[in-house]
Amino acid sequence: MRFYIDETFQLEDKQHHKTFYALAAIGLPEDELEPVRQFLKARGHGDPLHGTELLRSDSGHKELLEITRRISHKSVEIVTSCPIEKNDRSGERARAKLIRALVSHILTKYPDTKQILFEARLTGYASEQDAKTFREIRKQLEDANIKIGQAYKTEEPLLWAADLLATSYRQMMTRAVDRYFDAWQAEVITP
């Protein structure tokens, strides 16, 4: 099993939406990696699929649901989410908390996992915070023989599936639109 993880969040805004940070994880068994990767590449016609872009058109709405239906029965989907505290303006403490909770959950429930791959973040403060969190959990992962890493969506199409799950969760949280998230079979955990 290998897990691919993307994020979504809602920071404080002028409409006073409920703040949250969430990590969306798609886990696939080894024998499904290449078929799902090729399926996503074909659906994206060579370009990365992005949930926010898909939701800008009626055909994109249908595409998101179709892709979800084709992937969800082959994968494990996990979303971990928590509110963002007011003094955590960028959500980095919430993200670190969620990374630790998600990794702990994977270690406990999916001990055959070989890799956990996060979408790479921009160089600077955000990537430094991730590096710090990864150092904290590295020993746990090494003991379990799990590799942790980061990649850009342009390098790994399986991160696109995690993005679609994250977008589906965001639609449910910010717009009260459940149909996309309900199409997945996601387990939601809160630390």
Side-chain angles (χ1 to χ4, degrees):
M1 180 82 62
R2 294 180 187 264
F3 280 90
Y4 300 86
I5 300 164
D6 197 8
E7 67 181 10
T8 188
F9 55 87
Q10 175 67 51
L11 300 175
E12 191 70 39
D13 65 5
K14 291 179 180 158
Q15 288 82 25
H16 302 290
H17 284 112
K18 182 179 172 182
T19 63
F20 70 91
Y21 206 108
L23 295 177
I26 299 285
L28 289 161
E30 295 291 327
D31 62 338
E32 290 294 346
L33 295 175
E34 200 52 37
V36 172
R37 187 178 284 123
Q38 292 308 316
F39 167 72
L40 291 168
K41 282 181 177 179
R43 291 310 273 251
H45 306 289
D47 293 322
L49 290 169
H50 194 275
T52 302
E53 295 300 319
L54 287 176
L55 291 176
R56 292 188 178 170
S57 68
D58 288 339
S59 62
H61 286 253
K62 291 175 187 168
E63 182 79 1
L64 175 57
L65 287 170
E66 176 59 27
I67 292 169
T68 300
R69 288 185 187 111
R70 293 280 301 272
I71 295 173
S72 67
H73 70 282
K74 298 177 180 187
S75 63
V76 169
E77 303 100 37
I78 305 166
V79 173
T80 185
S81 178
C82 70
I84 300 173
E85 297 171 11
K86 289 197 183 297
N87 61 359
D88 186 13
R89 289 197 176 116
S90 62
E92 289 302 322
R93 283 193 304 274
R95 179 181 172 87
K97 178 181 179 178
L98 294 174
I99 289 171
R100 288 189 294 271
L102 180 60
V103 166
S104 178
H105 183 76
I106 290 170
L107 284 167
T108 302
K109 196 159 181 188
Y110 304 99
D112 64 335
T113 298
K114 302 289 181 225
Q115 180 185 36
I116 300 173
L117 189 70
F118 287 82
E119 179 188 10
R121 298 170 79 201
L122 297 176
T123 302
Y125 179 73
S127 63
E128 290 170 10
Q129 293 302 306
D130 276 356
K132 179 182 172 188
T133 304
F134 293 161
R135 279 192 303 273
E136 291 173 16
I137 59 175
R138 192 161 310 275
K139 176 74 170 121
Q140 273 181 292
L141 294 171
E142 285 174 359
D143 289 347
N145 203 24
I146 298 173
K147 293 181 181 174
I148 189 168
Q150 295 178 305
Y152 292 103
K153 285 184 186 162
T154 53
E155 300 168 340
E156 178 50 79
L158 294 172
L159 287 167
W160 307 350
D163 177 85
L164 299 179
L165 176 59
T167 297
S168 299
Y169 185 79
R170 181 179 183 77
Q171 287 293 302
M172 182 178 70
M173 293 296 289
T174 62
R175 297 199 176 10
V177 176
D178 302 14
R179 71 177 178 255
Y180 306 109
F181 191 69
D182 289 348
W184 296 98
Q185 299 169 23
E187 175 183 8
V188 179
I189 59 170
T190 54

